[in-house]
Amino acid sequence: MSAHKKAVTRLDSNYMQQYDAYIARQHRKKKRLVRRLVLFSIVTMLIVGGLTVYHLKQRSLQADKQEQYEQLQDNLASLEKKEKNLKEEISLLNNEEYVLEIARTNYFFSKEGELIFKIPDKSPSY
């Protein structure tokens, strides 16, 4: 008999109608709750996804800016070194003896009574 279900006759009473209406309301409430939860989950996932994408873009942008900053720091260091060398050269060019030494070596100026012989840089081919 366990395999055979008993058929129960449904009474058509006022209580049963109210009970059916109550069950229908509960079913609609549950359906609305599920819809709201699904909508809330979708909105939450969209917000979290958007924030994640924004965060990743900001990290990438920050890495690019950090790399650019390091390159500019290297550039600044080389320019400061160049500035230091140029200031040293300026101070040397203010020294008359240094200017005369440059003129003697590069432009073959001589002191009185001094002879300058130009020696070729390359050895002769013979």
Side-chain angles (χ1 to χ4, degrees):
M1 286 195 163
S2 63
H4 180 70
K5 292 186 177 183
K6 294 184 180 179
V8 177
T9 318
R10 183 174 172 89
L11 296 176
D12 198 20
S13 67
N14 190 22
Y15 171 76
M16 287 305 290
Q17 290 173 356
Q18 288 176 354
Y19 181 74
D20 288 341
Y22 172 75
I23 295 295
R25 279 194 306 269
Q26 292 296 345
H27 183 67
R28 284 192 304 266
K29 276 181 160 180
K30 189 174 183 180
K31 207 177 213 183
R32 283 189 300 231
L33 177 65
V34 168
R35 285 180 185 162
R36 279 183 277 167
L37 288 175
V38 167
L39 179 65
F40 178 73
S41 299
I42 290 172
V43 169
T44 303
M45 285 191 291
L46 287 174
I47 289 172
V48 168
L51 289 174
T52 302
V53 168
Y54 178 74
H55 176 71
L56 293 175
K57 283 182 182 179
Q58 290 298 315
R59 284 184 65 151
S60 173
L61 182 64
Q62 196 268 341
D64 292 342
K65 294 291 183 182
Q66 183 68 29
E67 182 179 330
Q68 183 182 10
Y69 175 76
E70 290 171 0
Q71 288 176 352
L72 289 173
Q73 286 292 90
D74 293 341
N75 191 14
L76 177 65
S78 67
L79 287 175
E80 286 175 345
K81 185 177 179 181
K82 187 175 180 180
E83 179 186 20
K84 180 182 173 190
N85 290 338
L86 289 173
K87 283 184 178 183
E88 286 177 11
E89 188 175 344
I90 288 171
S91 67
L92 287 174
L93 288 173
N94 287 332
N95 185 354
E96 189 175 328
E97 291 178 15
Y98 180 74
V99 173
L100 289 175
E101 184 66 31
I102 290 176
R104 290 181 72 210
T105 56
N106 292 343
Y107 302 111
F108 305 110
F109 286 121
S110 63
K111 295 180 182 177
E112 279 191 37
E114 183 179 50
L115 294 176
I116 298 177
F117 295 99
K118 183 176 179 185
I119 300 174
D121 292 336
K122 295 182 180 179
S123 61
S125 61
Y126 53 89

